[in-house]
Amino acid sequence: GKTKSPVEYAYSKGRKDVVAMLIEKGAELPKDGFKTPKNMKIITIGHGRAGKTTLIKSLNQFVKKKTSKKRDIEHTDSTCGIDNIELEFNKMNINIYDFAGQLEYLTIHQYFISQENTLYIIVVDSTQSLQEMKNEIDYWTNFLLEKLSIGASSSSSDNNDNESDENSEMILVIGSKIDKISEEQIGQKLNGLTDHIQKKIPSIPYHQTVLFVSGKKNIGINQVKASVSTMIDNTMKKSKSQRVPLEYIEISEQYQRNIMPALQDKLLIKSDEYVSLIEEKIKFSRAVKALPYFSTNNKFPAPEKLFEYLHNNGTIIYSPSNQHICVNPTSLSKIMSLFITTDDKHITPLLSNQQLRDKWKTQYKINSVIPVYFCKD
């Protein structure tokens, strides 16, 4: 018969560990068993009141509405924890996460950061001085560099070309609230920030162009849409070498319909229980079942790689060092924001389990089970 590739052979022998290693090492993958993902995350970061939420609302208008008339964005409250919206953009399913800017929330943000198929938008308030804007860009850039394997050392010139290709254009820098400053100030600050980031490319994977916008007045949002579109396309071209097993794609596509109802109101689940649930609920296609390495009992190899894939597209939160998986990431951020807050009126100093349940349901309209180790009666 047809000679099997190393990945196919490892699948057929049930060697999950070998399959995971081969995928990790970039082994040649059979064309009919792997596919480029169609899911991405966009994460907006920046200091509090920088204009991130208004920007996202305005961008959402431009992506979803065909009409040229766009409404001004009304006043928006500061984000508490993390909010997210889902939209279809460039034939991709995009999860946009709006991170609260107060530094107290950094303990939440780190759980949503991922390397693959993720773009980052740093938003800075253009009504500040140029130096303050530079400082904030550097702060959030360093935050990303600490969490991600990006940023080639300037001393390793031999690898710079490869690094810049691999990490190209992950970070878009945007100056907000330009409706509140003069055209002269816009020009000066735009030139200053452009020069600031150009000096750091390719060591840091910034998008080549800094954008100045007003989310409230919908100024410059078309340029944001175009830049994000370009960054998505470039990321997907890079991702063609990072294809994932076809069954992973089908799990992702059926997740909301088949998996979420079974999870009901759960927030955390043990990883082995999660695997069993997927094997029970997902209805794989004939294309998957016909693959020579697909197990007849619906068991799939290398579940850790599946967890990483679902983490990267925003479906779950997964850490290799933890035996549990968070199956409702945005709800987790809402819970944590009850304990990590900059708003004195947001919570009382101590809450019993029942009080916390009641506040969670009334304030966030979420009906879910809170793990007992979050608080005790």
Side-chain angles (χ1 to χ4, degrees), residues 162-334:
N162 292 335
E163 290 285 347
S164 61
D165 287 342
E166 182 180 347
N167 296 323
S168 60
E169 299 194 346
M170 288 180 67
I171 305 171
L172 173 63
V173 175
I174 294 180
S176 65
K177 305 183 182 181
I178 63 169
D179 56 301
K180 297 183 177 181
I181 61 176
S182 67
E183 291 189 10
E184 181 181 1
Q185 289 175 313
I186 292 173
Q188 291 174 347
K189 292 178 179 180
L190 179 58
N191 290 336
L193 292 190
T194 299
D195 182 64
H196 184 66
I197 72 164
Q198 289 286 343
K199 291 177 180 178
K200 302 183 180 184
I201 299 174
S203 295
I204 297 174
Y206 290 121
H207 182 57
Q208 294 280 345
T209 306
V210 177
L211 302 178
F212 268 39
V213 308
S214 168
K216 181 179 180 181
K217 298 295 184 181
N218 296 311
I219 301 171
I221 305 302
N222 262 330
Q223 286 76 13
V224 175
K225 180 181 174 182
S227 292
V228 169
S229 178
T230 299
M231 294 171 74
I232 289 174
D233 288 344
N234 290 340
T235 301
M236 294 316 298
K237 288 176 183 177
K238 181 185 74 172
S239 295
K240 287 182 178 179
S241 62
Q242 299 170 352
R243 296 181 301 151
V244 299
L246 184 58
E247 53 265 39
Y248 289 12
I249 303 293
E250 295 193 358
I251 289 169
S252 184
E253 290 173 348
Q254 296 182 43
Y255 199 87
Q256 289 296 326
R257 181 174 69 254
N258 293 351
I259 299 297
M260 288 305 293
L263 291 171
Q264 297 179 344
D265 295 330
K266 291 183 179 178
L267 178 68
L268 300 175
I269 187 172
K270 291 183 178 179
S271 56
D272 55 349
E273 293 177 13
Y274 188 66
V275 170
S276 298
L277 179 64
I278 289 175
E279 291 172 346
E280 176 188 350
K281 296 295 182 181
I282 295 298
K283 299 176 181 178
F284 291 108
S285 67
R286 291 182 180 180
V288 169
K289 291 182 178 180
L291 295 172
Y293 47 80
F294 185 75
S295 173
T296 56
N297 62 359
N298 276 5
K299 292 187 179 297
F300 53 88
E304 295 80 9
K305 300 303 294 183
L306 170 65
F307 299 160
E308 289 179 14
Y309 166 68
L310 294 175
H311 173 86
N312 287 337
N313 67 29
T315 303
I316 64 173
I317 294 178
Y318 163 69
S319 172
S321 61
N322 198 320
Q323 296 300 311
H324 286 78
I325 290 172
C326 175
V327 294
N328 198 335
T330 52
S331 291
L332 176 63
S333 76
K334 296 304 183 185

Side-chain angles (χ1 to χ4, degrees), residues 62-252:
F62 275 75
V63 171
K64 287 187 173 180
K65 294 185 178 181
K66 303 299 182 183
T67 175
S68 59
K69 292 185 178 180
K70 305 294 188 298
R71 295 182 300 174
D72 287 358
I73 304 298
E74 301 297 329
H75 172 77
T76 56
D77 293 330
S78 292
T79 301
C80 179
I82 297 172
D83 287 334
N84 84 298
I85 62 172
E86 298 180 15
L87 53 85
E88 186 173 324
F89 192 20
N90 278 30
K91 297 181 180 180
M92 297 284 295
N93 297 316
I94 307 295
N95 256 314
I96 301 183
Y97 287 90
D98 177 16
F99 281 20
Q102 288 75 15
L103 304 187
E104 288 84 351
Y105 287 116
L106 288 184
T107 52
I108 302 176
H109 297 170
Q110 61 184 321
Y111 296 109
F112 291 79
I113 299 295
S114 56
Q115 178 88 25
E116 303 297 338
N117 289 3
T118 305
L119 303 178
Y120 296 91
I121 300 178
I122 298 177
V123 182
V124 291
D125 183 348
S126 66
T127 63
Q128 303 176 104
S129 70
L130 177 59
Q131 188 57 52
E132 287 174 321
M133 295 175 76
K134 289 179 180 180
N135 291 344
E136 288 188 7
I137 291 170
D138 290 345
Y139 177 89
W140 290 105
T141 299
N142 290 334
F143 169 76
L144 292 178
L145 295 183
E146 288 177 4
K147 306 300 178 185
L148 302 171
S149 301
I150 60 176
S153 170
S154 57
S155 61
S156 56
S157 56
D158 293 342
N159 296 326
N160 267 0
D161 289 341
N162 292 335
E163 290 285 347
S164 61
D165 287 342
E166 182 180 347
N167 296 323
S168 60
E169 299 194 346
M170 288 180 67
I171 305 171
L172 173 63
V173 175
I174 294 180
S176 65
K177 305 183 182 181
I178 63 169
D179 56 301
K180 297 183 177 181
I181 61 176
S182 67
E183 291 189 10
E184 181 181 1
Q185 289 175 313
I186 292 173
Q188 291 174 347
K189 292 178 179 180
L190 179 58
N191 290 336
L193 292 190
T194 299
D195 182 64
H196 184 66
I197 72 164
Q198 289 286 343
K199 291 177 180 178
K200 302 183 180 184
I201 299 174
S203 295
I204 297 174
Y206 290 121
H207 182 57
Q208 294 280 345
T209 306
V210 177
L211 302 178
F212 268 39
V213 308
S214 168
K216 181 179 180 181
K217 298 295 184 181
N218 296 311
I219 301 171
I221 305 302
N222 262 330
Q223 286 76 13
V224 175
K225 180 181 174 182
S227 292
V228 169
S229 178
T230 299
M231 294 171 74
I232 289 174
D233 288 344
N234 290 340
T235 301
M236 294 316 298
K237 288 176 183 177
K238 181 185 74 172
S239 295
K240 287 182 178 179
S241 62
Q242 299 170 352
R243 296 181 301 151
V244 299
L246 184 58
E247 53 265 39
Y248 289 12
I249 303 293
E250 295 193 358
I251 289 169
S252 184

Side-chain angles (χ1 to χ4, degrees), residues 321-350:
S321 61
N322 198 320
Q323 296 300 311
H324 286 78
I325 290 172
C326 175
V327 294
N328 198 335
T330 52
S331 291
L332 176 63
S333 76
K334 296 304 183 185
I335 294 175
M336 295 180 71
S337 68
L338 289 172
F339 299 90
I340 306 167
T341 180
T342 59
D343 188 351
D344 290 338
K345 65 183 179 181
H346 190 54
I347 59 170
T348 54
L350 292 174

